[in-house]
């Protein structure tokens, strides 16, 4: 699984002009699923995101987590995180998991974030979405379970 985590002061996702999810202070998490990912990866990545300390403390150091600052997470499915641009100029997405695999893992990731005490809003899997955000910092972190868990 791959996640692009952006620290935001606000973020929202709209479908057809209708806002379907929004957060204030917190994270916008773009989440991609690949072949071979399972519940272990979803659980691990959700725990890492919930505990990620990238919010400023009283000494202006990145030392606080989402829970510490009372933040939320907007989770948006993003199969294009597995785009392969090594050949030509048009990305190939063969590394992205099919929806029958990706949807349950996307949902499990969201469930595990909620179980960790993080309020979660979402986009809609597979929809054409418009994502808006005010990136705070900016702080953007890439997490890839293939690298972090060394499968």
């Amino acid at each position: 699984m791959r996640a692009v985590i952006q620290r935001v002061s606000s973020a929202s996702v709209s479908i057809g002009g209708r806002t379907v999810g929004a957060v204030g202070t917190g994270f916008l998490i773009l989440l991609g699923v690949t072949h071979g990912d399972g519940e272990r990866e979803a659980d691990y990545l959700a725990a890492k995101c919930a505990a990620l300390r990238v919010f400023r403390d009283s000494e202006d150091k990145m030392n606080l987590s989402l829970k510490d600052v009372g933040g939320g997470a907007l989770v948006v499915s993003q199969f294009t995180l597995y785009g392969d641009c090594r050949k030509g100029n048009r990305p190939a997405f063969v590394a992205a998991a099919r929806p029958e695999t990706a949807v349950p893992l996307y949902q499990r990731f969201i469930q595990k974030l909620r179980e960790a005490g993080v309020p979660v809003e979402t986009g809609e899997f597979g929809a054409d979405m418009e994502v808006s955000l005010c990136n705070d910092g900016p702080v953007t972190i890439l997490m890839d379970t293939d690298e972090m868990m060394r499968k």
Side-chain angles (χ1 to χ4, degrees):
M1 294 183 103
R2 286 184 181 156
V4 174
I5 302 107
Q6 295 179 296
R7 186 178 76 184
V8 299
S9 54
S10 64
S12 64
V13 62
S14 300
I15 301 171
R18 181 179 57 91
T19 300
V20 296
V23 295
T25 297
F27 290 153
L28 168 63
I29 302 173
L30 306 175
L31 185 70
V33 179
T34 192
H35 310 289
D37 284 341
E39 292 181 351
R40 181 173 170 253
E41 287 77 13
D43 296 358
Y44 176 86
L45 194 56
K48 290 296 277 188
C49 288
L52 186 63
R53 298 181 345 183
V54 295
F55 293 92
R56 293 179 189 93
D57 65 13
S58 61
E59 296 178 10
D60 206 30
K61 295 185 182 195
M62 290 197 305
N63 202 29
L64 302 176
S65 70
L66 274 174
K67 286 174 60 174
D68 295 330
V69 299
L74 175 59
V75 181
V76 177
S77 63
Q78 184 96 33
F79 78 93
T80 60
L81 291 178
Y82 281 99
D84 183 348
C85 299
R86 290 178 289 185
K87 288 185 173 181
N89 295 316
R90 183 170 179 244
F93 299 105
V94 295
R98 305 261 323 134
E100 52 271 13
T101 299
V103 170
L105 293 175
Y106 168 75
Q107 291 171 339
R108 182 169 181 104
F109 175 85
I110 292 164
Q111 171 193 340
K112 291 299 178 178
L113 272 180
R114 286 181 174 144
E115 288 175 7
V118 176
V120 178
E121 295 281 323
T122 67
E124 183 180 311
F125 192 95
D128 186 12
M129 297 174 274
E130 291 183 3
V131 179
S132 298
L133 72 144
C134 184
N135 198 321
D136 179 18
V139 173
T140 302
I141 306 290
L142 173 63
M143 291 189 194
D144 188 324
T145 56
D146 283 348
E147 293 176 11
M148 298 169 75
M149 298 174 73
R150 294 287 177 213
K151 289 183 184 178

